[in-house]
Amino acid sequence: MDAVDRQILTLLVQDGRRTYDDIATRVALSPPSVRRRVDRLQADGALHGFTAILDHAALGWTTEALVELFFAPGTLLEEVAATLRDYPEVVEAWSVTGEADAIARVRTRSNADLERLIRALQEDGSVLRTRSQVILSALVTRPASA
Amino acid sequence: MDAVDRQILTLLVQDGRRTYDDIATRVALSPPSVRRRVDRLQADGALHGFTAILDHAALGWTTEALVELFFAPGTLLEEVAATLRDYPEVVEAWSVTGEADAIARVRTRSNADLERLIRALQEDGSVLRTRSQVILSALVTRPASA
DNA sequence: GCTGAAAAGTATTTTCG
DNA sequence: CGAAAATACTTTTCAGC
């Protein structure tokens, strides 16, 4: 993992479909060499893969919120994780320090759907209580850095 | 924006470097047709682009937190946004409903760096107070859906 | 371990219907 | 929209550092 690897990752974060030719020119290596480094970074776990960046709002998912979750005593993390994975609206979720036990990042097609989702989560068992923060606007959205 | 477009987006979210050939086979179109649809989706704003998915922990960014921000009265959103953009550790930030005015998702190399970042934010002016939730583990991480 | 030149194999892009 | 041709990219091979 040297400076060139980091440069390659930065270029691929900027544009995941950049050609090996293009990258090779920018980092002063040959295309096969770049390819071998990308494969190695992926094998080593530094690079997980490539994806498309969608505009969820443009696709109709206009409501986004961070929902703090408070568990019933004795609730297992894997139990809640499994429950959360049942809801496609849950985009990300983490266990956290602080008052809440976990936070779910959710995306719905409307505020009404968000309300239904929160109700469903509360009635699903392990989640005793929730506290939501609806996202009003994005202040910073930054491509990941290497 | 028909069913085939959504299928193409799903395939590209799964693998951002999938070839037009491969996609064409799966959606029963020709490669040029797929390419034209991808270009249109991008022009229409539904598809923003392509990126690499990094493992930040593997790259040394082992501490992640959600930091709630409480502004001084009369603080402008764009003012805080500009401040937050000055810190590369701030990966995402949103203005939100609820008690806090905004939430920043931050990534640092250590807990000590997180502490320094929070101190810096508090001393930077518009942020009066913060409340942090350090991420302990990921419960759900889902590729975006179309 | 790493590199790259060249050849062979694929994919992309343009053209045209 | 797709077939076909032209162009570009990727991948393998092989050899050198």
Side-chain angles (χ1 to χ4, degrees):
Chain A
M1 185 60 183
D2 59 12
V4 174
D5 284 339
R6 274 185 290 275
Q7 225 184 319
I8 291 173
L9 289 178
T10 300
L11 289 167
L12 284 173
V13 166
Q14 282 170 14
D15 178 1
R17 284 185 80 91
R18 219 184 264 281
T19 65
Y20 297 117
D21 234 30
D22 178 295
I23 299 167
T25 308
R26 292 169 196 269
V27 303
L29 280 177
S30 66
S33 191
V34 170
R35 174 58 204 255
R36 285 187 288 253
R37 279 169 180 263
V38 170
D39 286 347
R40 184 173 42 68
L41 287 164
Q42 211 155 358
D44 292 353
L47 172 62
H48 274 193
F50 301 92
T51 192
I53 305 164
L54 304 185
D55 184 327
H56 303 285
L59 291 163
W61 300 86
T62 49
T63 298
E64 193 166 348
L66 294 169
V67 183
E68 295 179 276
L69 307 173
F70 299 82
F71 303 163
T75 300
L76 297 173
L77 271 185
E78 191 34 55
E79 192 182 314
V80 188
T83 301
L84 293 173
R85 276 192 286 267
D86 285 343
Y87 297 92
E89 299 93 336
V90 176
V91 173
E92 293 181 274
W94 316 273
S95 75
V96 293
T97 65
E99 235 190 304
D101 295 300
I103 300 179
R105 178 178 182 170
V106 306
R107 225 178 257 136
T108 59
R109 297 195 156 276
S110 68
N111 287 348
D113 284 350
L114 173 61
E115 192 176 359
R116 271 188 287 276
L117 172 64
I118 291 170
R119 235 187 265 288
L121 285 173
Q122 287 171 344
E123 285 165 7
D124 212 314
S126 38
V127 175
L128 272 190
R129 189 166 76 81
T130 65
R131 183 168 58 194
S132 301
Q133 295 169 293
V134 178
I135 293 178
L136 297 173
S137 72
L139 301 177
V140 179
T141 314
R142 215 195 301 267
S145 65
Chain B
M1 185 62 181
D2 59 11
V4 174
D5 284 338
R6 275 185 291 275
Q7 224 183 320
I8 291 172
L9 289 178
T10 301
L11 289 167
L12 285 173
V13 166
Q14 281 170 15
D15 178 1
R17 284 184 81 90
R18 218 183 266 282
T19 65
Y20 297 116
D21 237 28
D22 179 295
I23 298 167
T25 308
R26 292 170 196 270
V27 304
L29 281 177
S30 66
S33 189
V34 171
R35 174 59 203 255
R36 285 188 286 254
R37 279 169 180 264
V38 170
D39 286 348
R40 187 174 40 68
L41 286 164
Q42 210 154 357
D44 292 353
L47 171 62
H48 273 194
F50 301 92
T51 192
I53 304 165
L54 305 185
D55 184 327
H56 303 285
L59 292 164
W61 300 87
T62 49
T63 298
E64 193 166 347
L66 294 169
V67 182
E68 295 178 274
L69 307 173
F70 299 81
F71 302 164
T75 300
L76 297 173
L77 272 184
E78 192 33 57
E79 190 183 317
V80 188
T83 301
L84 293 173
R85 276 192 287 267
D86 284 343
Y87 297 92
E89 299 94 335
V90 176
V91 173
E92 292 181 275
W94 316 272
S95 75
V96 294
T97 65
E99 235 191 302
D101 296 299
I103 300 179
R105 177 179 182 171
V106 307
R107 226 177 256 135
T108 59
R109 298 195 155 274
S110 68
N111 287 348
D113 283 350
L114 173 60
E115 193 176 0
R116 270 189 287 275
L117 172 63
I118 292 170
R119 233 187 266 289
L121 285 173
Q122 287 172 343
E123 286 167 6
D124 212 314
S126 36
V127 175
L128 270 190
R129 189 165 76 81
T130 66
R131 184 167 60 195
S132 301
Q133 296 168 293
V134 177
I135 293 178
L136 297 174
S137 72
L139 301 177
V140 179
T141 314
R142 213 195 303 267
S145 65

